[in-house]
């Protein structure tokens, strides 16, 4: 056995012991509860990823599994949408239900009626929400019906019509969102430089009627069209796990659909055939680049819609990138279209609370533009963009030294502070990590975020968990860095590496893995001990943990690091630690106190523990 798990440098051990002793005093009640409860190791499935120990953290939005069935019609001459819809969802069990209405204060959506089981429900209309009493009672799942009418502004707004191009984004009432405690979120107020909306992933069955000849792109492909006569058409769309459902269409649109190697179909809409060719050249480069970095987009359809001049700069919606025609000037399209396409992964496939954690998606999509530029034009083009971010960060440090990434949208003093923080500093937060861990580990991290959290609303702690899985350990990077003020540099990523555990020649993946803290290996006592046949009991009267194995009796007194082994004292180095409600002990306990054969390979970060061999131990693995 190597000395790395027996002892550490004296100074480090002294400091570590002091803080660990404090920790065990604080956590001893939890350890007692752990030992007095029935704990059984969970068997692992064959082929399990040995470092995906922890299940994904809960989404910020509790999933009520909503399903929308919407029948709506566009009336171009009146510039309005009329519709009726039903929303089926899990019973939230509270006293109230909330619907979100994301309209403009000067262009209000009218909710005509809300019904449950053909009975009209009274409701209260607030600034951005509809509140009503929960009628579901004890049923597990219910359905409410809503009738609405929404005027379409005749201007180039994010929801509006200009030059006969209809941008229909937040056009219908939406089920509100709860946190995991069952509390409804209050939708933040819209401000000039952000849509801080809170969405709920849902399935959609949408039937949309418009005049015949209108061409539409949507959050779920071209749909299935039906001629209704009287110069009217109906297009039906059926999509799953969408953050919202957007439509952009025009009688002037030309649409070309390309199918990428991954099977993704991308609909490209413009009134100008030449512009479609230019957009297509970007799409054929940017989608494969992002697939390489993030993994395939987990949807079958995506859309790119070019709106008229003088409309909203560029915006992201579910599987939809929207930008104004002006962006062909000064080649702005070559930045902002890749930016909005990246939002299909970061905002759409994996979401965040935009008013609080907008740095997550805006930082990721901005750094994604550099990947596109590097792949299409080379390293110099990418480096120039990163240098621009660095200049923004320097200006941020001078002008707003005490700001930080954790600021909410409404807390920024100016638009420049907002942009420099969430876009430029956010991008550099991810770039700094990439430089630390290397491209392959970084790509693995981003793909794990997509794999773990598709259809979830996430924040810094979710990113740290995925980073730990990518690096095979317990990671801390995003959570501390978003609290760093602008005048301070980024903190480096910290990692407690996981240790592969082999028990009696069989791989074993405990719920809380063995890990390396400094130079010391820690093992989950009960999980590993019971797999090895160790009898483990807690004696409440004596305040001791009793262990029996290999003919030895070991007692560990409460809050102590000296164990009693068959009446003889053995120094464990430090007291027990508690990590996620698991008691962790030094690896040396299994060898020096319990008499097992122990082999540790520091290079491979693996440990083998086996019953004592009658012929003695081998010296190496």
């Amino acid at each position: 056995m190597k000395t790395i798990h027996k002892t550490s440098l004296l100074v480090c051990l002294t400091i570590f012991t002091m803080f660990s002793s404090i920790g065990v005093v604080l956590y001893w009640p939890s350890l007692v509860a752990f030992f007095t409860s029935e704990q059984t190791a969970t068997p692992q499935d064959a082929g399990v990823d040995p470092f995906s120990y922890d299940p994904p953290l809960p989404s910020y939005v509790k999933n009520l599994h909503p399903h929308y069935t919407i029948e709506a019609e566009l009336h171009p001459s009146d510039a309005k949408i009329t519709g009726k819809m039903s929303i089926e969802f899990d019973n939230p069990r509270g006293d109230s239900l909330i619907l979100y209405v994301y309209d403009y204060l000067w262009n209000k959506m009218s909710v005509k009626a809300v019904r449950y089981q053909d009975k009209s429900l009274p409701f209260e209309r607030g600034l951005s929400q509809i509140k009503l009493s929960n009628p579901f009672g004890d049923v597990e799942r219910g359905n409410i019906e809503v009738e609405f009418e929404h005027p379409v502004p005749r201007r180039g707004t994010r929801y509006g019509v200009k030059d006969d191009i209809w941008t229909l984004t937040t056009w219908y009432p939406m089920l509100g969102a709860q946190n995991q405690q069952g509390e409804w979120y209050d939708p933040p107020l819209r401000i000039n430089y952000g849509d801080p909306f809170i969405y709920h992933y849902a399935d959609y069955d949408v039937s949309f009627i418009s005049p015949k000849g209108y061409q539409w792109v949507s959050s779920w492909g071209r749909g299935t069209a039906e001629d209704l006569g009287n110069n009217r058409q109906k297009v039906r769309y059926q999509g799953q796990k969408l953050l919202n459902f957007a439509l952009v269409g025009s009688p002037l649109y030309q649409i070309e659909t390309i199918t990428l190697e991954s099977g993704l179909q991308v609909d490209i809409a413009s009134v100008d055939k030449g512009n479609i060719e230019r957009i297509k050249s970007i799409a054929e480069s940017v989608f494969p680049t992002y697939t390489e970095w993030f993994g395939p987009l987990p949807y079958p359809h995506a859309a790119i819609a070019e709106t008229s001049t003088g409309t909203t700069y560029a915006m992201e919606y579910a599987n939809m990138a929207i930008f104004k025609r002006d962006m062909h000037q000064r080649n702005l399209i070559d930045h902002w279209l890749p930016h909005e396409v990246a939002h299909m992964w970061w905002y759409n496939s994996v979401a965040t609370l935009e008013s609080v954690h907008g740095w997550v998606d805006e930082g990721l999509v901005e750094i994604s533009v550099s990947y596109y530029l590097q792949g299409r034009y080379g390293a110099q083009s990418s480096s120039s963009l990163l240098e621009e971010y660095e200049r923004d960060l320097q200006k941020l440090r001078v002008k707003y030294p005490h700001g930080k990434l954790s600021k909410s949208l409404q807390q920024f003093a100016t638009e420049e502070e907002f942009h420099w923080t969430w876009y430029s500093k956010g991008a550099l937060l991810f770039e700094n990590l990439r430089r630390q861990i290397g491209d392959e580990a970084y790509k693995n991290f981003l793909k794990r975020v997509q794999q773990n959290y598709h259809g979830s609303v996430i924040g810094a702690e979710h990113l740290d968990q995925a980073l730990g899985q990518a690096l095979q350990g317990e990671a801390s990077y995003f959570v501390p860095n978003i609290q760093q003020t602008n005048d301070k540099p980024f903190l480096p990523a910290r990692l407690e590496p996981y240790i592969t555990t082999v028990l009696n020649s069989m791989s074993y993946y405990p719920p809380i893995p063995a890990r390396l803290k400094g130079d010391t290996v820690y093992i989950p006592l009960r999980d590993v001990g019971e797999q090895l046949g160790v009898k483990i009991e807690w004696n409440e009267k004596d305040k001791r943990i009793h262990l029996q194995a290999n003919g030895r009796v070991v007692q560990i007194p409460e809050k102590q690091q000296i164990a009693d082994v068959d009446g003889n004292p053995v120094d464990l180095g430090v007291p027990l630690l508690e990590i996620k409600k698991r008691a962790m002990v030094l690896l040396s306990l299994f060898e020096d106190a319990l008499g097992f054969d122990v082999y540790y390979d520091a290079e491979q970060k693996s440990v083998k523990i086996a019953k004592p061999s009658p012929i003695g131990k081998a010296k190496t693995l």
Side-chain angles (χ1 to χ4, degrees), residues 282 286 290 333-343 365 369 372:
I282 294 174
V286 74
Y290 292 168
I333 187 178
D334 220 19
H335 180 108
W336 291 105
L337 181 52
H339 173 107
E340 302 304 341
V341 168
H343 270 304
V365 301
V369 176
Y372 159 74

Side-chain angles (χ1 to χ4, degrees), residues 511-527:
I512 301 300
R515 67 192 62 209
L516 188 65
K517 279 180 170 285
D519 289 333
T520 306
V521 176
Y522 281 86
I523 302 291
L525 174 58
R526 181 177 287 275
D527 293 317

